[in-house]
Amino acid sequence: MIHRGSGRIMNVSSLAALQPGPLMNIYYASKAYIHFFSEALANELKGSGVTVTVLLPGLFNTNFASTAARYSGAPEKKEKLVTTSVEEVARKALKGMMKGRIRVIPGFSNKLLSLAPRILPRNLMLIAVRKIQESIRNKEA
């Protein structure tokens, strides 16, 4: 792509990349790696004709939980707190990538959520994320 002088790279991260993630620390850390790797690579490739975009979706409607439940034998669950459709995430991601944006966060509520780690004290974020993860675990039990 560099030799050709054009190309687009899309990496998929998560809003989880923006905060610490107790009880799911490897997931959160791996999403942070993708996020910051993509931003750094975008900077390194600036002016080469190659762009790098990192998608940071928040909650969106998929069949992940019901599919996982079907294969694991667990009871199926409806996914809740969905803010954005899969189609909207894909549309926004593609539009952002084609415009050469470095970061794409689809959905107004997800953009607001992305500000929380910047505004709230880190200890408060740790407590909040842990409570959310504990609540999810308790629902799964």
Side-chain angles (χ1 to χ4, degrees):
M1 285 189 275
I2 294 171
H3 179 70
R4 188 174 63 219
S6 69
R8 303 190 189 287
I9 299 169
M10 166 80 64
N11 289 325
V12 180
S13 181
S14 168
L15 284 182
L18 304 176
Q19 60 211 354
L23 304 179
M24 283 190 59
N25 54 56
I26 293 173
Y27 176 80
Y28 281 63
S30 65
K31 294 303 180 178
Y33 172 82
I34 294 165
H35 175 216
F36 292 112
F37 168 79
S38 300
E39 286 186 350
L41 186 59
N43 180 271
E44 290 174 21
L45 294 172
K46 193 170 186 166
S48 71
V50 180
T51 64
V52 179
T53 300
V54 60
L55 174 63
L56 293 110
L59 299 171
F60 63 99
N61 190 15
T62 68
N63 293 322
F64 178 79
S66 58
T67 302
R70 188 177 27 210
Y71 287 106
S72 70
E76 288 192 30
K77 296 177 182 175
K78 294 276 184 192
E79 295 180 25
K80 296 179 183 170
L81 300 173
V82 173
T83 60
T84 311
S85 71
V86 173
E87 293 80 12
E88 184 180 352
V89 170
R91 216 176 5 262
K92 300 267 183 168
L94 185 59
K95 185 177 177 181
M97 181 179 71
M98 297 311 290
K99 286 183 172 183
R101 293 215 170 113
I102 295 173
R103 278 170 305 287
V104 174
I105 301 173
F108 179 72
S109 59
N110 289 325
K111 286 179 180 148
L112 284 178
L113 283 171
S114 75
L115 297 175
R118 292 180 178 176
I119 297 168
L120 299 173
R122 190 167 303 270
N123 283 342
L124 185 56
M125 286 302 301
L126 279 164
I127 291 166
V129 173
R130 183 175 182 113
K131 285 188 184 291
I132 291 166
Q133 293 304 329
E134 286 173 340
S135 133
I136 291 168
R137 285 184 177 197
N138 290 337
K139 288 178 187 175
E140 291 174 352

